Amino acid sequence: MTFVWRWRVALMASSVGIIASMLRFTALGWPKALVFDEVFYVRGGFSLATLGYEGNWTGENDAFAQGDLSGLEAEGDFVVHPMVGKLFIALGIQIFGNNPFGWRVMGALLGVIMCVMLAFIARHLLRSTLWGMIAGLFLAVDGQGIVLARTGLLDIYLAFFAVAGFGALLVDRHVTRRKLAERAADARAAAHLAPGAKLPGMGPGLGIRWWRWVAILMFAMAGSVKWSGFYFAAAFLLLSVAWDLLDRRSAGVQRWAWGGLLRAVPAGLLAIASTLVVYTATWFPWFMSNDSYGRHWAQANPGKGTTWLPDSLNSLVHYHLQMWKFHENLTTEHTYMSNPWFWPLQWRPTAFFFENAPDAACGAERCVSAVHALGNPLIWWAGSIALGYAIYRMIRHRDMLALTVSLGAFAAWLPWLPYAYRTIFTFYTIAMAPFLVLTLIWALKNVAQPDRLRGGWSRGGTIVALSFVGAVLVISGFFAPLWLGTPIPFAYWQAHMWLPSWV
């Protein structure tokens, strides 16, 4: 049985990894241009790799892609996102050179790992290697996951760390639940209580929870890519507290609520402090470079800002206030800006790249090469229904699993709703994609293996689920040229524009 288990898990991980790799690494160097916001983040990564800080750029955007680096100045650039994502881009450039492959390789690599991680997460939560493999496969063939992993933007790194943090919290729960049960049994034996008796007091302590600290580190790194990563930290760490309360109650602890909450308060304060330390540490290149933007603001403005802090931290706080003001006032009209209320429907996808290709490239009268950050429509439209079903299960049945699988999707989506007036884009949903897929797979499992059958398979539900999986793969194959930038006839590109808002 152990051999069979290992064989199935190996097949799951390798299948997901191979498919995800093929779709993310094939022709990764195309397009040979700065795609959409790569103009900011790739050039920032190159500056970090060469100057050690983010310098200002002048000249035409295309010049950089053509190898002209003369536009980089020594003056520090005012950038509006933390630098962890750009440091990963810089690492790729250092290893593979200043070329499109080097700009994108680290995002592609972490995109593949994220698919495999999701497969293991789904396998653990749904207790099924098969459903775990389907979850990883769905993320591997989804357009948002493919395009963002193949582009030198920041959001793939945010998504990776959010999934990694969630996975670490699941490991923490698995370890601590077992430890809690063992220590509760030892405490009953010491008090000469029956095995099923209530355990007086607030229950045993659990010592240092290393996997929770790993999760905190991952969420801090997510927030150090983009501030929206901190929404995941808040949502999932609160979920972890809820798990602790439920596990103490299940272990028969008499004062389980107090036992969990009183331990949650100092743990929460330590988590906040640790996150601040990690986040500040990620600004190390900024601290070490005298020419970084705003590095010596406090020295130049004595008596201003947060004066009780050292000058370096005072300058960093002032810089962050400037960044916050920029984001709050970012309301410039953009062709591809989208209303977050419609993000789960992929209503207004972002066209990253579009150009006419040589006629010989596809054998048609007009050939085009296009890259659209558009999720697989079937995954996203059905996933939206699955999110609604999860809300129903939470309210009607107090389904903790429904909350667990869907919380990440809501954490990636709901905080953006008050900012519908801002210049924001649908490709931000890459951070939502893994958790929407997880929710969808949970809903599919409920269709194929309804609760009433206690793990058995419904014939009709299984047919529906298998048909859905097949349809997802067919649609991904149909849309793949628009995710990979493959030259296609213009008429074939038009056939993909299912909604007027996609054009």
Side-chain angles (χ1 to χ4, degrees):
M1 290 298 293
T2 301
F3 171 77
V4 173
W5 178 84
R6 290 178 178 174
W7 178 80
R8 289 177 176 176
V9 174
L11 177 63
M12 176 192 76
S14 59
S15 299
V16 170
I18 290 170
I19 293 172
S21 297
M22 291 174 61
L23 290 170
R24 283 153 181 78
F25 282 99
T26 300
L28 183 59
W30 177 259
K32 295 182 178 180
L34 291 174
V35 174
F36 205 70
D37 279 353
E38 280 188 335
V39 66
F40 303 114
Y41 308 131
V42 167
R43 294 198 303 182
F46 175 81
S47 181
L48 284 167
T50 54
L51 298 180
Y53 63 95
E54 294 184 69
N56 188 47
W57 286 88
T58 60
E60 296 296 326
N61 295 338
D62 292 340
F64 177 87
Q66 295 168 3
D68 182 358
L69 310 177
S70 62
L72 178 59
E73 298 181 331
E75 179 185 357
D77 188 21
F78 173 60
V79 295
V80 294
H81 289 297
M83 64 179 67
V84 163
K86 287 165 282 187
L87 287 171
F88 274 99
I89 294 173
L91 178 61
I93 292 173
Q94 289 277 38
I95 298 173
F96 295 98
N98 182 38
N99 55 69
F101 184 88
W103 308 338
R104 301 163 184 159
V105 63
M106 294 306 298
L109 176 61
L110 296 190
V112 171
I113 296 173
M114 181 171 67
C115 293
V116 177
M117 285 195 301
L118 184 71
F120 278 99
I121 287 171
R123 178 184 178 276
H124 172 78
L125 289 173
L126 304 180
R127 300 182 180 182
S128 167
T129 304
L130 174 62
W131 290 111
M133 183 167 67
I134 296 174
L137 179 64
F138 273 23
L139 185 59
V141 302
D142 179 65
Q144 290 290 357
I146 294 170
V147 171
L148 271 298
R150 294 174 56 88
T151 311
L153 271 62
L154 305 182
D155 302 78
I156 189 66
Y157 302 104
L158 165 60
F160 170 82
F161 284 116
V163 173
F166 179 54
L169 276 186
L170 290 174
V171 176
D172 169 72
R173 190 189 187 193
H174 176 74
V175 171
T176 56
R177 185 162 46 180
R178 182 177 59 193
K179 186 184 297 185
L180 178 62
E182 292 172 352
R183 294 189 178 184
D186 292 341
R188 285 190 184 90
H192 305 291
L193 297 174
K198 285 286 184 182
L199 185 63
M202 294 185 292
L206 296 173
I208 299 175
R209 297 170 61 168
W210 294 110
W211 279 105
R212 178 180 276 183
W213 287 112
V214 171
I216 291 169
L217 173 61
M218 293 297 101
F219 292 135
M221 292 293 285
S224 300
V225 175
K226 279 189 170 182
W227 290 345
S228 52
F230 293 126
Y231 293 130
F232 291 102
F236 283 129
L237 291 175
L238 286 174
L239 177 64
S240 179
V241 172
W243 287 342
D244 287 351
L245 295 175
L246 293 174
D247 292 342
R248 285 184 177 274
R249 185 176 67 177
S250 298
V253 176
Q254 190 173 45
R255 302 181 67 186
W256 55 270
W258 281 108
L261 291 175
L262 289 179
R263 288 176 170 85
V265 172
L269 294 175
L270 282 173
I272 293 172
S274 300
T275 299
L276 286 173
V277 170
V278 172
Y279 178 81
T280 304
T282 64
W283 284 82
F284 179 78
W286 182 86
F287 285 111
M288 296 302 294
S289 304
N290 286 324
D291 294 320
S292 298
Y293 179 87
R295 175 63 181 83
H296 297 291
W297 176 86
Q299 291 95 317
N301 296 272
K304 294 184 179 180
T306 314
T307 54
W308 56 272
L309 287 173
D311 284 347
S312 58
L313 291 177
N314 187 6
S315 297
L316 185 63
V317 169
H318 176 74
Y319 186 7
H320 277 64
L321 291 174
Q322 289 181 291
M323 293 163 64
W324 179 267
K325 184 177 180 180
F326 171 87
H327 287 298
E328 283 290 299
N329 296 310
L330 185 59
T331 57
T332 307
E333 289 290 326
H334 192 286
T335 303
Y336 294 108
M337 64 187 294
S338 61
N339 190 319
W341 286 92
F342 302 106
W343 281 358
L345 301 177
Q346 299 289 287
W347 185 259
R348 183 56 174 163
T350 314
F352 278 3
F353 179 79
F354 187 96
E355 73 172 17
N356 290 314
D359 295 345
C362 69
E365 183 178 344
R366 181 185 178 188
C367 299
V368 297
S369 178
V371 177
H372 292 265
L374 167 67
N376 181 306
L378 192 55
I379 289 177
W380 283 86
W381 295 346
S384 300
I385 297 173
L387 290 176
Y389 177 57
I391 294 173
Y392 163 76
R393 292 282 301 191
M394 284 185 273
I395 296 174
R396 181 67 178 84
H397 299 284
R398 298 181 181 180
D399 191 331
M400 196 64 185
L401 182 56
L403 173 63
T404 300
V405 298
S406 63
L407 184 60
F410 290 121
W413 175 40
L414 296 182
W416 288 101
L417 298 183
Y419 298 99
Y421 65 90
R422 278 187 44 192
T423 311
I424 50 182
F425 303 95
T426 301
F427 71 80
Y428 294 3
T429 56
I430 179 57
M432 181 181 180
F435 305 102
L436 180 132
V437 166
L438 184 60
T439 308
L440 174 59
I441 297 304
W442 163 79
L444 274 181
K445 182 177 185 291
N446 285 348
V447 170
Q449 296 179 281
D451 292 341
R452 69 177 187 276
L453 298 182
R454 298 183 178 181
W457 292 79
S458 162
R459 182 177 180 181
T462 301
I463 292 174
V464 169
L466 285 175
S467 300
F468 183 85
V469 172
V472 164
L473 296 178
V474 169
I475 291 176
S476 287
F478 177 67
F479 275 91
L482 271 69
W483 298 333
L484 304 179
T486 306
I488 54 175
F490 180 68
Y492 188 64
W493 174 84
Q494 288 179 309
H496 292 78
M497 300 296 105
W498 291 0
L499 301 177
S501 57
W502 289 6
V503 179

